Amino acid sequence: DVYKRQLLESRASTSRLFRLRRWLVLFLRCLAVAMIVAAFARPTWFRHRAHAAGADEAAAIVMIVDTSASMSARNEGTTVFHRLQALADRTLNSVQPGRDRLGLVIASARPRAVLPELTGEPGVIRRELKRLSPTQQRADFPAAIASAASLLRQHSGPRRLVILSDFQERNWSDLVLSERPGDVLPEDTVITLVPVGGEENDNVALSRPWSSPLRPLVGQPVNLRVQVSNYSPHQRTVSVQFRLDGADLDTRQVDLDPWVSTEINFQARLDRAGVHEAAFAIGRDQLVADNEAFLIVEATSRLQAVVIGDDPPNEPGTSSYFLIRALAPRGDEGDVIAVRHLDSSEVDYGRIADAEAVLVAQVGPLPKKALEALHAFLRRGGGVAVFCGEGPVAENLTRLARLETQTPLLPWTPTEARDLRAEGGVIHLAGDHWDEGVLPGFDADSREALQHVPIYYMWTGEKPQESARVVLRYTDGTPALACQAVGPGRLALCNFSPSLDCSEMGKYGGFVALVQTLFEYLRPSQEGQIIADVGRPLTILTRPSQDAGDDWQVFGPANKRCAAEILTDGPLRFVHVARPDEAGFYRIRRGETPVTSAAVNVHHDESDLRRMQMAVLQATLTGGQSVMTVEDANRSDAILEFRGRPLWHLFLLGGLIAIGLELVVLAVWKQ
């Protein structure tokens, strides 16, 4: 009995261990089968759920590559753009040649697709990427996304937009401010942002060079200024070098606090008439493209003015007669101002383009060509004064105002003429309504003298614009002289006429002082100085001599010849350079004879290297049905995994491991 009981106990214990062994072997066999079956199912892992949609279909992938000036910044021994090229090449590793469709858009001042249609050959895109280099331009990202959207619409399957950029905040601000830029993309487009470049910002830049006055007289002191900006979290001491016509003239040193800008002023005298080339420079830093700034200053021996009038300019008592003599009292070469008189039928932009200011005397209905010329003159920074006497004044001003679509053109709108003589009286200028900011050189004696001048003819009208400056008023409060900024230009509306039919103002010396002071106010100023940017169209205006031939050439920096289009408009020639690709001076020659020059600079927005927040871009770009992901540029594996990472080999390996463990259990754990 004892032996029998011990045998039964031993058998029961062995049976429990054997049953555990059988369950373990069964589990390993099931696991091996499950792993092998799963491996044949070819499982895939996606970092982002959005990438899983349509993973087995042919996809369209369009890359936007940022080539703006900030991409040439050096970081960790190499340029940001070189890192971008490497990342773009790695992005192509996830593409299946012949199946997926590819496109490449270059983001510059004028974005373009390198191919008009999608291609199935990654090698074509790789070759184009190798040819690219950073520019000195400011990229137009709304246009780049629109170009990419047109390529994506060529494909009906899954669509991917990959943007490789440093995502510089100031450059991308245009996209954020534009109206729902994500809506231009096809629905279900997955957007992948790949930020390139480091977080360190250490850049000092030069920008916004300008001169005052804009067109100085020969021998007159001229101030030449440039803005110096410290785009870094550290205080910097910067030396700014000033060159004029290739000669080093001065160096100024300035201490800049973090994220602070200041202006450096240099003074010079220009000893000859014509264009002068001014350049400013600082030492090399993280971004070299903005370490220089360029400026053209045109000196003149006499200032140019145009008087437009249909009344005889040589007949004493007419409006044109008094205006011409107020501007040029001597009537000879001794006058600082040279005056040209034009009938309204003679006016076109070519005949007024080189004037400091245009004064409109008594005219009939202005032709459309004349109105368009005056509007273009204002928009290019010129000054126009209109003297409201007899004639179709209200009609002319209303037609001129219709040409301006951005801002109010008239400081106030005259609607009804008043002939005070028919009413048995006159009106005078008020003595206590003077805006000294517009006429600072108009002394108190001249003001008092004009207050006693009888005015017979004036206009009433609407309330002045809030943006207008009412310089003079009549005793009844009606504006007598009001000014309005029109873009970079200025329009002065004078509610009087020097014609003896309208007033006796032209007889007084105070009128000469008034016109001379008004002319100084109307002259192009700092605000009217147009700074050309790299990559934007450049138009150079010149007035050639009568014997000018056709051998016109344009040479850019390093004396490199540029393609240009020459257009003629009356006495003027417009030299149009479609896309200047480098900052510096662009010189026009006729044969071997220099004609004029223009300056081109890097856009100031390219200098601040701070990156835009990805959350802001996500809110901007994900309009419609678009989905956005942000990838880490420092990852070592593929940037774009829209088909995910295959896992079948891991499952197959797991199945083999399960089979191996089963064999080990069977060999070691014997019955």
Side-chain angles (χ1 to χ4, degrees):
D1 293 339
V2 174
Y3 292 113
K4 183 178 181 180
R5 187 172 57 254
Q6 289 178 346
L7 181 60
L8 291 173
E9 290 176 357
S10 175
R11 181 180 176 184
S13 175
T14 303
S15 297
R16 286 195 297 270
L17 291 176
F18 184 68
R19 285 196 299 270
L20 178 61
R21 173 180 176 274
R22 284 189 303 175
W23 280 111
L24 181 58
V25 171
L26 178 62
F27 169 75
L28 291 174
R29 287 176 179 174
C30 291
L31 179 62
V33 172
M35 287 286 185
I36 293 173
V37 171
F40 279 100
R42 304 185 68 84
T44 304
W45 178 75
F46 293 91
R47 287 198 304 272
H48 304 285
R49 181 178 297 180
H51 290 171
D56 295 329
E57 303 176 60
I61 304 100
V62 175
M63 289 192 296
I64 295 179
V65 174
D66 185 356
T67 62
S68 61
S70 61
M71 298 300 294
S72 63
R74 301 195 69 83
N75 186 276
E76 298 178 356
T78 185
T79 65
V80 175
F81 189 78
H82 286 154
R83 294 190 61 197
L84 180 146
Q85 282 180 305
L87 288 168
D89 188 77
R90 280 170 48 197
T91 300
L92 297 174
N93 292 339
S94 301
V95 172
Q96 292 187 4
R99 181 183 182 189
D100 295 325
R101 313 300 294 173
L102 301 172
L104 178 64
V105 174
I106 310 303
S108 59
R110 290 186 178 182
R112 61 181 178 86
V114 297
L115 297 173
E117 297 180 350
L118 298 173
T119 179
E121 298 296 331
V124 175
I125 303 299
R126 281 194 164 93
R127 286 194 296 272
E128 294 295 336
L129 284 170
K130 290 180 180 178
R131 295 193 184 105
L132 294 179
S133 60
T135 67
Q136 293 186 0
Q137 303 174 12
R138 182 178 187 268
D140 184 349
F141 287 107
I145 289 177
S147 180
S150 65
L151 289 176
L152 289 169
R153 290 192 191 96
Q154 298 176 11
H155 185 75
S156 59
R159 305 179 181 98
R160 303 288 185 266
L161 175 62
V162 183
I163 305 177
L164 298 104
S165 170
D166 60 356
F167 294 100
Q168 184 200 37
E169 183 174 6
R170 289 196 178 185
N171 206 338
W172 280 86
S173 60
D174 286 350
L175 185 78
V176 174
L177 296 175
S178 60
E179 189 172 350
R180 298 183 65 84
D183 288 350
V184 304
L185 295 169
E187 291 187 359
D188 300 322
T189 299
V190 176
I191 305 170
T192 300
L193 306 184
V194 186
V196 188
E199 298 295 333
E200 181 182 357
N201 299 297
D202 192 6
N203 185 44
V204 177
L206 296 178
S207 62
R208 296 187 174 97
W210 60 275
S211 64
S212 179
L214 188 60
R215 296 193 190 110
L217 290 167
V218 173
Q220 176 186 5
V222 56
N223 292 315
L224 301 122
R225 301 185 182 184
V226 67
Q227 181 173 287
V228 189
S229 303
N230 178 18
Y231 296 110
S232 76
H234 314 291
Q235 187 179 44
R236 298 290 299 271
T237 299
V238 183
S239 293
V240 182
Q241 184 181 24
F242 170 58
R243 299 191 305 272
L244 183 64
D245 294 328
D248 293 337
L249 292 190
D250 198 0
T251 300
R252 300 285 175 86
Q253 194 171 78
V254 60
D255 294 325
L256 294 174
D257 290 332
W259 314 111
V260 166
S261 299
T262 189
E263 284 187 345
I264 302 295
N265 180 59
F266 298 91
Q267 194 172 82
R269 291 179 185 269
L270 306 179
D271 56 3
R272 60 173 176 80
V275 296
H276 297 262
E277 298 177 348
F280 309 87
I282 58 176
R284 295 172 66 89
D285 58 7
Q286 187 172 346
L287 182 61
V288 178
D290 58 10
N291 290 348
E292 290 185 290
F294 306 93
L295 176 68
I296 290 295
V297 185
E298 184 177 359
T300 181
S301 55
R302 300 181 72 190
L303 303 175
Q304 302 293 319
V306 172
V307 173
I308 301 174
D310 293 334
D311 48 352
N314 297 318
E315 181 180 320
T318 64
S319 179
S320 293
Y321 176 87
F322 283 122
L323 286 175
I324 291 172
R325 277 147 188 80
L327 291 167
R330 298 178 184 177
D332 57 25
E333 296 292 327
D335 290 314
V336 174
I337 302 174
V339 185
R340 296 196 304 274
H341 180 270
L342 298 174
D343 291 338
S344 60
S345 60
E346 299 176 307
V347 177
D348 59 32
Y349 183 71
R351 288 183 169 86
I352 66 174
D354 63 340
E356 299 284 320
V358 174
L359 287 73
V360 181
Q362 187 165 315
V363 294
L366 286 172
K368 181 180 179 181
K369 181 175 65 172
L371 293 170
E372 291 174 345
L374 290 173
H375 181 253
F377 184 74
L378 285 166
R379 270 289 159 195
R380 284 182 171 268
V384 175
V386 179
F387 290 83
C388 303
E390 296 177 319
V393 172
E395 178 187 350
N396 287 334
L397 290 174
T398 301
R399 291 168 60 212
L400 179 62
R402 288 175 184 155
L403 298 176
E404 176 59 36
T405 58
Q406 300 182 28
T407 59
L409 185 139
L410 300 178
W412 68 285
T413 304
T415 56
E416 184 179 355
R418 289 183 61 191
D419 190 342
L420 301 176
R421 288 168 299 186
E423 301 175 12
V426 296
I427 198 168
H428 296 87
L429 296 173
D432 57 347
H433 290 86
W434 290 78
D435 186 340
E436 299 182 6
V438 175
L439 305 176
F442 200 60
D443 57 57
D445 292 338
S446 298
R447 296 180 192 175
E448 185 176 356
L450 286 185
Q451 293 171 30
H452 301 289
V453 175
I455 308 293
Y456 313 132
Y457 199 91
M458 60 172 289
W459 288 75
T460 59
E462 300 176 359
K463 182 181 178 181
Q465 298 282 347
E466 292 184 1
S467 56
R469 299 186 67 170
V470 180
V471 184
L472 301 175
R473 290 184 184 271
Y474 287 116
T475 52
D476 67 351
T478 304
L481 172 59
C483 300
Q484 173 73 40
V486 184
R490 293 169 174 171
L491 175 68
L493 196 56
C494 305
N495 191 11
F496 52 81
S497 170
S499 168
L500 293 181
D501 294 333
C502 299
S503 74
E504 296 184 9
M505 187 172 287
K507 297 180 179 180
Y508 288 77
F511 177 70
V512 176
L514 175 65
V515 173
Q516 292 273 348
T517 309
L518 183 61
F519 177 81
E520 283 298 318
Y521 170 75
L522 294 175
R523 289 180 64 189
S525 63
Q526 163 194 351
E527 292 80 10
Q529 199 155 6
I530 299 174
I531 305 298
D533 297 327
V534 178
R536 300 295 181 182
L538 170 66
T539 300
I540 310 169
L541 183 150
T542 183
R543 185 183 292 271
S545 60
Q546 296 297 324
D547 60 347
D550 294 328
D551 187 19
W552 289 69
Q553 302 176 78
V554 180
F555 294 88
N559 209 31
K560 183 174 63 175
R561 186 167 180 177
C562 304
E565 182 182 7
I566 314 297
L567 303 176
T568 302
D569 183 4
L572 294 183
R573 286 202 177 182
F574 296 88
V575 181
H576 183 73
V577 182
R579 194 180 301 173
D581 57 6
E582 190 175 353
F585 295 111
Y586 287 73
R587 303 176 177 95
I588 300 177
R589 297 178 192 166
R590 191 176 65 250
E592 297 298 324
T593 305
V595 177
T596 189
S597 301
V600 175
N601 289 279
V602 174
H603 196 284
H604 57 86
D605 281 350
E606 288 297 316
S607 301
D608 189 346
L609 302 179
R610 285 176 288 185
R611 181 180 294 173
M612 176 165 282
Q613 296 181 3
M614 293 296 102
V616 175
L617 277 179
Q618 183 168 13
T620 302
L621 287 170
T622 54
Q625 304 295 320
S626 299
V627 177
M628 193 185 87
T629 63
V630 180
E631 299 293 348
D632 184 3
N634 295 319
R635 293 175 54 249
S636 58
D637 54 349
I639 294 297
L640 184 64
E641 287 187 358
F642 57 88
R643 288 196 170 82
R645 181 180 297 177
L647 301 178
W648 63 268
H649 57 287
L650 297 179
F651 280 88
L652 182 59
L653 178 62
L656 295 176
I657 292 175
I659 293 174
L661 290 175
E662 179 192 358
L663 295 176
V664 170
V665 170
L666 293 175
V668 174
W669 197 343
K670 297 181 179 180
Q671 297 184 12

